[in-house]
């Protein structure tokens, strides 16, 4: 939701990044203020996940230009784990499996790490068990997932739910959900969207990367951006997503090219 | 390999110091004279000298094994000293009379030499180079009839027992290194648990190689009579030298009817430096005979040290319903090489064996699991379950699995599972994205990977092993 006078949480200016020497991000500009929901759409390979991983600090991606400020401070001065502790959360498009590490231990460690950072109480295993089970109920997740290894053998949709569970535990300031809707069945989509909506406050913000207008019926974005070849080429309100659904991405590209006079 | 992973693996060895102590070292070289010298120094009975000489003759006819998946320059057996002992100031009567320099050494290593030590409740036999320097809690154990101490002492105090069992599980000509050990072994632990006695505390031996040119050839013999049980722990370290030292031990276990022997090792010999210079050659033969009905032999090992490890703690399941177990974590880093595993020989009816092997390779190291499961024709109803998992850290290292399965009885059930996984940058990134730094992430992954083995270790050892793995792999992230 757009609030009057809310502070910018994330300010991206002219951001460029390469992977393996190939330039993927070619000058991204984006401002996200507290309380807002932004959707980023765009064709396969346009750089959406790359953008998300650059913000989270993946070592394979090299920032070659531009600036990113998070709460007014240079984000790139923080190591990936420090960004996470500061409130940047990425729900992965493809959550990785970690065999051998029990989900409940992992969840508790990440929860306590972030709690400690915020000067709040850590929970012992028993307290945490009660706490996490409550959160799982909201997401209609079976407690069986606590005893399994992190994401190991989870179905595609189960992995996505486990991501949202982590988001619910960590209560991030900035949540980037990279195609969290892909692979979710219709019921799960509703449940996950409800979860995300419940977590939204005037102090935090969400960036949804998605291919489908359907998700945006549940989580209504304040802004919709279209990414193409490593740039945001168009920004609009929620209507833009509907227009895209009708006309396709070519339509934006043509319009964009016309506007740019090419 | 990422810088993160690179650093994780390079951690200084913490036990690499040398103790300044006057030692009685035999001249280098191996011949009949050397053997007679060792035997004379220990004032041994004639039968033992004969045992040694027979083994030596056998060894001369044997070839160094070529089949292990390890590479090293040819060992010059004439360049090794086969006997080294710290010169005692006087005859030892109690722990308080042990050379203070030795006490300090073991204190530094965290080995409790004083019976009032923090790690109370564990009796320790301490072996420094070639000889046993101290055994704690001897008196207390003797009250329940347990004999625990150095094998050279046992040769004098209980010659019949030693003579009856020595070389019965690992015959003198069993393999090249076992033959060598039988010829030149200097000391080791002897442990006898009489009928019906459950050993009231964990027994432990701590091995330390101190002298640069000496080999260590210890010999351990553990006997559990009918219904007896014991848990035995073994730890080892060595100073950091840029030459290789040879360690060729033999361990024999005998479990009679309903007896139970649990043998746990945390091996942390010096592994050589980051370029593969120096380190211990650890060529060890360990075998347990589950002789009686319902007997059980259980090996648990955490192998983190040594330049080369060549070791297959095995079980011969002779008694009906006997049980053999092997739980192993082997970690290799830098240029370390490990070829380790087990043999489960099923002879008795309804014998059962379990193998759980976890290999972790980092750096340029090479880690192989080699295991044999043999079900003999008489082993009706035998069962084996094997699980061999490998984990790679970085992409310069390798892991191999060589399972050999021989089944000669149709009623047997043999199951084998194997897996290979890798700690990848993306896994570490996932942890980092949740606020968890690389070192903590690696330790969590490794501990998860080793869980099934660690939970077999006695409590203090499990803590020790977890810490050791942390040290071993610490700093490769950064
Ligand atoms: N490690 C890499 N090596 C080489 N190319 C890469 C690498 N990572 C990303 N790319 C390339 O960067 C481009 C952008 O990829 P990215 O994953 O950001 O796209 P996306 O917009 O998220 O696409 P999708 O909608 O399919 O998820 C693609 O062409 C991809 O192949
Ligand atoms: Mg993507």
């Amino acid at each position: 939701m757009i609030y009057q006078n809310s502070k910018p949480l994330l300010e991206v200016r002219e951001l460029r990044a390469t992977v393996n020497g190939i330039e993927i991000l070619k000058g991204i500009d984006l401002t996200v203020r507290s309380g807002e929901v932004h959707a980023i759409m765009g064709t396969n390979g346009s750089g959406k996940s790359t953008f998300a991983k650059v913000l989270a600090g993946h070592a394979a991606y090299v920032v070659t230009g531009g600036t990113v400020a998070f709460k007014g401070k240079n984000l790139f001065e923080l190591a990936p784990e420090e960004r996470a502790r500061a409130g940047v959360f990425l729900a992965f498009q493809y959550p990785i499996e970690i065999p051998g590490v029990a989900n409940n231990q992992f969840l508790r460690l990440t929860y306590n790490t972030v709690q400690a950072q915020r000067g709040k109480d850590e929970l012992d295993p028993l307290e945490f068990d009660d706490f996490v089970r409550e959160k799982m109920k909201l997401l209609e997740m079976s407690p069986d997932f606590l005893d399994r290894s992190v994401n190991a053998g989870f179905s595609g949709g189960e992995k996505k739910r486990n991501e949202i569970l982590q988001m619910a535990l960590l209560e991030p300031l900035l949540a980037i959900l990279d195609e969290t809707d892909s692979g979710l069945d219709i019921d799960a989509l509703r449940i996950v969207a409800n979860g995300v909506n419940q977590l939204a406050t005037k102090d935090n913000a969400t960036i949804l990367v998605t291919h489908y207008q359907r998700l945006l019926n549940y989580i209504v974005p304040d802004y919709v951006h279209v990414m193409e070849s490593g740039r945001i080429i168009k920004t609009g309100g929620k209507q833009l997503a509907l227009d895209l659904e009708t006309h396709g991405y070519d339509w934006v590209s043509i319009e964009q090219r016309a506007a740019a006079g090419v | 390999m990422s810088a993160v992973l690179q650093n994780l693996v390079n951690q200084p060895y913490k036990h690499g110091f040398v103790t300044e102590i006057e030692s009685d070292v035999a001249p280098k070289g191996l011949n009949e004279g050397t053997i007679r010298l060792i035997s004379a120094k220990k004032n041994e009975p004639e039968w033992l000298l004969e045992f040694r000489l027979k083994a030596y003759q056998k060894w001369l006819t044997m070839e160094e094994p070529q089949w292990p998946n390890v590479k090293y320059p040819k060992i010059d057996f004439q360049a090794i000293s086969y006997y080294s002992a710290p010169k005692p100031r006087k005859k030892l009567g109690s722990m308080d009379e042990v050379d203070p320099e030795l006490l300090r050494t073991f204190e530094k290593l965290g080995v409790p030499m004083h019976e009032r030590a923090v790690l109370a409740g564990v009796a320790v036999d301490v072996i420094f180079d070639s000889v046993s320097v101290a055994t704690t809690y001897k008196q207390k154990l003797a009250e329940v009839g347990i004999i625990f101490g150095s094998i050279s002492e046992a040769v004098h105090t209980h010659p019949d027992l030693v003579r009856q069992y020595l070389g019965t599980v690992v015959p003198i000509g069993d393999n090249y290194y076992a033959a060598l050990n039988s010829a030149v072994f200097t000391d080791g632990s002897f442990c006898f648990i009489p009928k019906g006695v459950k050993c009231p505390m964990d027994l432990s031996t701590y091995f330390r190689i101190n002298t640069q040119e000496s080999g260590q050839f210890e010999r351990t013999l553990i006997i559990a009579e009918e219904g007896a049980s014991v848990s035995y722990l073994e730890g080892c370290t060595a100073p950091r030298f840029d030459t290789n030292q040879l360690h060729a031990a033999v361990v024999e276990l005998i479990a009679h009817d309903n007896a139970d022997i649990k043998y746990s090792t945390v091996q942390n010999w010096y592994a050589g430096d980051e370029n593969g210079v120096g380190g211990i050659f650890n060529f060890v033969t360990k075998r347990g005979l589950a002789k009686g009905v319902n007997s059980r032999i259980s090996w648990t090992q955490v192998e983190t040290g040594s330049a080369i490890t060549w070791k297959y703690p095995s079980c011969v399941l002779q008694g009906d319903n006997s049980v053999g177990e092997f739980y192993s974590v082997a970690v290799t880093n830098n240029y370390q090489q490990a070829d380790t595993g087990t043999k489960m020989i099923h002879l008795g009816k309804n014998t059962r064996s379990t193998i759980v092997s976890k290999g972790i390779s980092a750096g340029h190291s090479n880690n192989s699991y080699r295991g044999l499961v043999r079900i003999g024709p008489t082993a009706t109803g035998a069962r084996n379950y094997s699980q061999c998992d490998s984990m790679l850290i970085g992409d310069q290292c390798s892991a191999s699995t060589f399972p050999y399965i021989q089944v000669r009885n149709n009623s047997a059930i043999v199951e084998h599972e194997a897996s290979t996984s890798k700690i990848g940058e993306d896994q570490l990134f996932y942890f980092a994205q949740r606020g968890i730094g690389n070192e903590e992430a690696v330790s969590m992954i490794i501990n998860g990977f080793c869980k099934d083995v660690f939970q077999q270790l006695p409590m203090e050892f499990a803590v020790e092993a977890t810490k050791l793995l942390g040290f071993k792999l610490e700093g490769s992230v950064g």
Side-chain angles (χ1 to χ4, degrees):
Chain A
M1 192 185 287
I2 300 174
Y3 295 87
Q4 291 294 309
N5 305 324
S6 80
K7 287 200 201 118
L9 195 57
L10 182 77
E11 295 161 284
V12 182
R13 297 286 170 267
E14 280 296 310
L15 178 65
R16 289 173 177 272
T18 61
V19 59
N20 292 334
I22 310 161
E23 183 166 72
I24 310 286
L25 303 186
K26 300 173 179 166
I28 294 189
D29 287 284
L30 177 69
T31 301
V32 177
R33 292 170 190 275
S34 306
E36 294 174 352
V37 175
H38 290 240
I40 299 182
M41 306 181 80
T43 50
N44 294 132
S46 57
K48 304 179 297 294
S49 295
T50 303
F51 179 46
K53 285 189 226 171
V54 167
L55 293 179
H58 195 296
Y61 299 84
V62 181
V63 175
T64 50
T67 59
V68 174
F70 178 66
K71 294 201 292 177
K73 295 207 187 100
N74 182 359
L75 183 69
F76 297 138
E77 278 175 9
L78 301 180
E81 62 271 24
E82 293 169 331
R83 296 180 197 186
R85 292 175 207 157
V88 176
F89 180 89
L90 169 58
F92 288 86
Q93 182 173 4
Y94 304 107
I96 195 152
E97 303 195 356
I98 308 171
V101 174
N103 208 19
N104 55 1
Q105 280 180 24
F106 175 78
L107 294 173
R108 192 168 77 87
L109 181 62
T110 161
Y111 175 77
N112 280 341
T113 307
V114 172
Q115 284 292 97
Q117 173 83 13
R118 294 175 182 165
K120 293 192 188 156
D121 286 346
E122 300 180 29
L123 297 183
D124 69 32
L126 289 177
E127 294 168 332
F128 182 76
D129 195 62
D130 292 342
F131 177 69
V132 73
R133 277 167 193 263
E134 277 310 307
K135 297 276 180 195
M136 291 175 95
K137 256 185 219 154
L138 296 177
L139 293 169
E140 297 184 22
M141 253 179 108
S142 153
D144 292 349
F145 289 103
L146 290 174
D147 297 325
R148 289 171 63 175
S149 293
V150 181
N151 295 331
F154 287 24
S155 76
E158 289 164 352
K159 285 180 182 167
K160 298 296 175 77
R161 279 201 227 194
N162 204 35
E163 294 292 285
I164 298 306
L165 173 63
Q166 293 174 56
M167 176 179 161
L169 289 173
L170 302 183
E171 300 186 349
L173 285 178
L174 176 67
I176 306 160
L177 311 186
D178 191 357
E179 297 200 24
T180 300
D181 53 335
S182 303
L184 289 182
D185 63 46
I186 297 163
D187 290 344
L189 183 70
R190 192 177 31 76
I191 293 161
V192 164
N194 275 342
V196 173
N197 285 333
Q198 278 174 27
L199 290 167
T201 69
K202 69 175 183 18
D203 298 315
N204 60 26
T206 308
I207 298 176
L208 303 169
V209 174
T210 182
H211 287 294
Y212 306 108
Q213 148 63 27
R214 196 184 54 190
L215 174 70
L216 306 181
N217 289 336
Y218 294 102
I219 309 174
V220 181
D222 301 304
Y223 299 96
V224 174
H225 310 275
V226 179
M227 192 176 283
E228 183 66 59
S229 307
R231 282 195 198 91
I232 287 176
I233 57 165
K234 190 174 176 67
T235 293
K238 62 173 194 249
Q239 180 60 34
L240 179 54
L242 294 166
D243 293 344
L244 284 172
E245 189 123 294
T246 329
H247 304 294
Y249 287 110
D250 274 350
W251 165 74
V252 195
S253 302
I254 292 162
E255 199 191 43
Q256 171 71 15
R257 265 182 247 132
V262 284
Chain B
M1 174 162 64
S2 72
V4 171
L5 291 173
Q6 193 87 50
N7 285 338
L8 176 99
V9 230
N10 305 317
Q11 174 69 16
Y13 186 64
K14 307 206 178 213
H15 310 293
F17 61 92
V18 184
T19 307
E20 290 303 330
I21 193 162
E22 221 189 319
S23 289
D24 179 8
V25 183
K28 288 179 197 171
L30 180 56
N31 51 48
E32 247 192 63
T34 322
I35 291 160
R36 288 181 189 280
L37 174 91
I38 294 171
S39 193
K41 279 217 185 272
K42 299 188 157 293
N43 195 19
E44 284 175 357
E46 192 57 30
W47 63 265
L48 191 50
L49 176 63
E50 269 165 34
F51 177 93
R52 290 175 180 280
L53 291 173
K54 226 164 97 189
Y56 177 64
Q57 289 309 327
K58 181 82 194 175
W59 180 72
L60 287 176
T61 67
M62 297 174 87
E63 295 277 339
E64 221 176 316
Q66 299 299 324
W67 50 262
N69 190 19
V70 297
K71 288 188 193 70
Y72 56 95
K74 213 156 173 49
I75 298 172
D76 181 359
F77 290 95
Q78 300 306 332
I80 295 172
S81 165
Y82 289 83
Y83 185 81
S84 166
K87 276 191 184 154
R89 304 225 161 140
K90 56 181 169 187
K91 190 98 190 92
L92 298 183
S94 82
M95 201 51 60
D96 298 333
E97 293 169 29
V98 175
D99 189 321
E101 198 54 45
L102 272 182
L103 282 181
R104 266 195 294 279
T105 299
F106 285 100
E107 235 154 62
K108 220 159 142 186
L109 295 168
V111 180
M113 300 263 288
H114 287 288
E115 301 195 348
R116 58 179 180 278
V118 196
L119 200 80
V122 180
V124 189
D125 183 28
V126 175
I127 316 258
F128 191 81
D129 282 344
S130 302
V131 298
S132 165
V133 292
T135 308
T136 60
Y137 289 108
K138 238 181 153 126
Q139 226 40 56
K140 194 166 171 208
L141 293 169
E143 283 163 23
V144 285
I146 294 172
I147 306 163
F148 177 51
S150 79
I151 197 160
S152 24
E153 196 184 308
V155 165
H156 296 290
T157 55
H158 301 87
D160 296 344
L161 276 179
V162 178
R163 194 172 181 176
Q164 183 186 346
Y165 289 106
L166 188 74
T168 57
V169 185
V170 179
I172 52 172
D174 187 78
N175 68 70
Y176 190 77
Y177 294 105
L180 179 64
N181 174 287
S182 301
V184 303
F185 74 89
T186 38
D187 218 333
S189 297
F190 176 79
C191 166
F192 177 85
I193 318 290
K195 192 170 167 178
V197 173
K198 310 260 174 255
C199 188
M201 61 177 77
D202 288 351
L203 302 184
S204 134
T205 302
Y206 194 90
F207 297 105
R208 172 81 176 166
I209 295 180
N210 191 58
T211 315
Q212 181 155 14
E213 265 88 32
S214 73
Q216 183 154 330
F217 305 93
E218 83 270 358
R219 185 97 194 182
T220 298
L221 182 54
I222 300 176
I223 302 135
E225 282 200 326
E226 241 181 274
S229 76
V230 62
S231 164
Y232 187 90
L233 326 173
E234 174 201 283
C236 2
T237 58
R240 147 203 292 280
F241 290 125
D242 52 12
T243 51
N244 299 108
Q245 285 92 51
L246 179 61
H247 172 252
V250 170
V251 175
E252 299 178 277
L253 314 180
I254 297 119
H256 290 281
D257 289 355
N258 303 304
D260 187 332
I261 302 176
K262 184 174 171 61
Y263 194 107
S264 314
T265 306
V266 172
Q267 185 265 109
N268 186 23
W269 295 116
Y270 178 52
D273 69 8
E274 61 279 10
N275 300 311
V277 177
I280 303 286
F281 289 169
N282 189 34
F283 300 149
V284 171
T285 306
K286 290 184 168 175
R287 195 173 303 153
L289 174 62
K291 195 174 164 84
V293 295
N294 301 318
S295 57
R296 186 173 83 115
I297 302 257
S298 178
W299 298 101
T300 305
Q301 61 172 21
V302 177
E303 301 282 318
T304 67
S306 298
I308 300 179
T309 294
W310 178 99
K311 180 182 168 189
Y312 315 90
S314 305
C315 300
V316 179
L317 304 174
Q318 183 181 311
D320 289 347
N321 306 318
S322 62
V323 174
E325 294 170 335
F326 175 74
Y327 296 96
S328 169
V329 167
V331 187
T332 53
N333 189 6
N334 295 323
Y335 288 87
Q336 275 180 280
Q337 308 177 59
D339 191 303
T340 184
T342 185
K343 289 191 265 186
M344 292 290 172
I345 313 293
H346 292 252
L347 303 174
K349 289 191 186 61
N350 300 317
T351 45
R352 278 162 296 144
S353 64
T354 304
I355 299 172
V356 177
S357 161
K358 306 278 176 174
I360 301 167
S361 346
H364 292 81
S365 69
N366 180 8
N367 201 328
S368 302
Y369 167 81
R370 189 182 301 277
L372 168 69
V373 176
R374 179 186 294 156
I375 312 282
T378 50
T380 304
R383 307 190 88 182
N384 161 268
Y385 171 73
S386 303
Q387 185 189 334
C388 304
D389 300 321
S390 308
M391 175 166 283
L392 304 173
I393 302 179
D395 40 27
Q396 309 285 319
C397 52
S398 63
S400 321
T401 305
F402 304 100
Y404 305 91
I405 299 170
Q406 302 168 356
V407 180
R408 307 236 162 74
N409 186 307
N410 288 335
S411 64
I413 302 175
V414 176
E415 290 171 84
H416 180 90
E417 285 177 28
S419 76
T420 303
S421 53
K422 193 168 173 159
I423 299 188
E425 208 156 11
D426 281 332
Q427 280 183 335
L428 295 181
F429 180 60
Y430 191 81
F431 276 91
Q433 216 306 300
R434 302 302 186 244
I436 302 166
N438 286 329
E439 300 214 338
E440 211 169 348
V442 169
S443 122
M444 204 173 190
I445 296 174
I446 297 281
N447 279 318
F449 182 69
C450 300
K451 194 168 51 203
D452 297 347
V453 175
F454 283 176
Q455 68 195 16
Q456 297 296 326
L457 288 170
M459 189 63 157
E460 318 83 49
F461 247 37
V463 174
E464 183 72 9
T466 309
K467 270 198 279 184
L468 193 58
L469 247 65
F471 286 150
K472 181 87 190 167
L473 298 172
E474 188 180 286
S476 76
V477 196

